[in-house]
Amino acid sequence: TAMSFMAYELVCNPDVQQKLYEEIEEKKNSLNGKNISYEQIQSLKYLDQTVSETLRKWPMSAPVSVYRSFFIIILYLYLFR
């Protein structure tokens, strides 16, 4: 559900989607084929801002930190594996 809202927001805001894509690609390219660490994912500032804005606009019942961790794990599995 939270991931669906983020996907919806990215579709509705292609400029945000592009900026987030560029940040992720830049990090991915800087790794030279190495696996990304949790700390490196957390250093993606625009990703954190995007997740925070999604959770602000679409509040959930669980604490925000739980959803941030969920987003980070899902993105890690999807983008860097």
Side-chain angles (χ1 to χ4, degrees):
T1 53
M3 186 67 93
S4 298
F5 287 128
M6 186 169 173
Y8 171 77
E9 288 295 332
L10 290 173
V11 167
C12 291
N13 298 286
D15 54 323
V16 173
Q17 182 180 14
Q18 183 62 35
K19 189 171 178 178
L20 182 59
Y21 173 79
E22 289 169 4
E23 181 184 55
I24 292 169
E25 278 298 303
E26 183 179 316
K27 177 59 77 175
K28 190 175 175 183
N29 292 337
S30 73
L31 296 173
N32 298 320
K34 296 178 188 171
N35 289 332
I36 192 166
S37 69
Y38 180 78
E39 290 77 21
Q40 290 168 322
I41 292 175
Q42 289 214 312
S43 73
L44 298 172
K45 190 172 188 167
Y46 198 69
L47 172 61
D48 182 56
Q49 293 170 343
T50 306
V51 170
S52 295
E53 181 64 6
T54 300
L55 294 173
R56 183 192 69 78
K57 288 180 77 174
W58 305 95
M60 308 292 161
S61 59
V64 171
S65 61
V66 172
Y67 287 105
R68 280 194 183 130
S69 297
F70 172 74
F71 279 125
I72 289 169
I73 291 167
I74 295 299
L75 285 169
Y76 173 79
L77 294 173
Y78 179 74
L79 297 172
F80 296 102
R81 290 287 173 159

